[in-house]
Amino acid sequence: SATRHKDLRTGVSVWEAVRRPPVPVGRLRRDHRTDVLVVGAGISGAIIGEALTARGLEVTIVDRRGPVLGSTPASTALLQYELDTPLSLLIGRLGRTNAERVWRRSHLALDALRERSRHLGIQADQINRDSLYLSGNVLDTAGLHREAEARQRAGFECTYLSRTEVCDRYGIRGRSALVSYDNLAADPRRLATGFLNAALDGGARLLAPVDVTGIENSRQRVRATTRDGPVITCRSLVFATGYEMPKAVPAAGHHIASTYAIATRPQPSSLWATSCFIWEASDPYLYLRVTPDHRIICGGQDEDFSDEATRDALLPAKTAALERRLGQLLPDVDPRAAFAWCGSFGASPDGTPTIGRVPRRPNCYAAMGYGGNGITFSMLAAQLLAGLITGQGDPDSDLVSFRSKR
């Protein structure tokens, strides 16, 4: 295969408790030609495919499983513009100008995701949520003050809260925090199927199961061979395979790790003020969000390995650890898991993705290394790749290109 096959998730996520919206799927029975071939029909392939279709390109999306059957159902869908790496620390790695550019572009991508899904009429339980960023082992109270100054200098609205204020407002003891505004919560499966159906309505084709096994490049075209025999010829190919890394694409410092999540029973009377996102300035960090039916999703307990068997064997112990940490953070909630799941995710040294032209592969593009900003970076990838493929360009493509990761 052209990608490294992985078992991307185990367990049952809270999103799988209801039937997934239908998506029409065709079969690849003969050789096929298209302007752009998007490999991957998860949330990234859906958003990228819709963006390219909206630019007037003939788009074909393929997936070796089927639509939205990879890692997308394992997403907890806290859609934030804040990167895993705090702005005050990213400045030390990229310099102030580029660090601020990355954060601003992430903010624009989140706004675009909110606006585009509304424009398309996608119903995925989207709701704006503020974020409470708690002090931890990465940023203590003094570090949060520095982070607030860095964000405010770059134009981001945020508010510092003392330990007393955090305790009084949210019932969390011993932690100072920053509050940021208007992030986004959603159902990731419904969001992905919404973008896929919008792409299909615009003329795109979705074919599955199709396993791309080989890529032949020239300056004029790309030929993608498939396991069942038919060949897809395109002018441009996009790898949107999420955490199944393409073999032809340099890792660029990214690696695959493992993460865990639980969802509690509905408990509307036990929720904290504003039902904001809660996450920690820690490594690894715990994070919380609330579902429309008032369940608490709690995620974290990350491990720096990608072996599926080892990951899955730890699910019971990690579930118990998440229950314990949730109960310690918020003593008034019922932390017991009604759903528990684990999955793979991509990480990078500085929390930024890699998006752009694949080195030494003419007319091939890739989006990888999503980290904690997965779906936000999916929209960023759609914007950047649409500009590159159409020749219109993008003023920020240099920030996350493969060349920038050398």
Side-chain angles (χ1 to χ4, degrees), residues 55 105 357 365 380-398:
R55 297 290 187 101
R105 189 54 189 262
R357 294 183 174 90
Y365 304 80
L380 175 59
Q383 294 176 316
L384 297 181
L385 294 177
L388 292 173
I389 289 171
T390 61
Q392 295 176 342
D394 188 284
D396 293 323
S397 61
D398 63 300

Side-chain angles (χ1 to χ4, degrees), residues 33-37 56-60 233-237 389:
R33 288 183 174 271
T34 187
D35 289 340
V36 184
L37 174 63
L57 296 169
E58 182 182 7
V59 175
T60 300
T233 303
C234 56
R235 290 192 293 172
S236 302
L237 182 147
I389 289 171

Side-chain angles (χ1 to χ4, degrees), residues 103-116:
W103 267 62
R104 290 192 187 109
R105 189 54 189 262
S106 181
H107 197 296
L108 287 173
L110 180 63
D111 287 343
L113 179 65
R114 181 174 16 240
E115 294 158 6
R116 189 63 181 167

Side-chain angles (χ1 to χ4, degrees), residues 161-213:
L161 299 181
S162 68
R163 294 179 181 181
T164 300
E165 290 171 313
V166 172
C167 185
D168 289 345
R169 296 185 193 186
Y170 302 99
I172 299 173
R173 297 182 179 276
R175 313 286 283 274
S176 54
L178 294 183
V179 179
S180 57
Y181 303 96
D182 284 345
N183 285 302
L184 187 68
D187 178 327
R189 286 207 311 171
R190 291 173 61 190
L191 194 65
T193 55
F195 273 97
L196 281 174
N197 281 321
L200 298 179
D201 290 344
R205 298 186 66 182
L206 173 59
L207 306 176
V210 176
D211 188 6
V212 174
T213 55

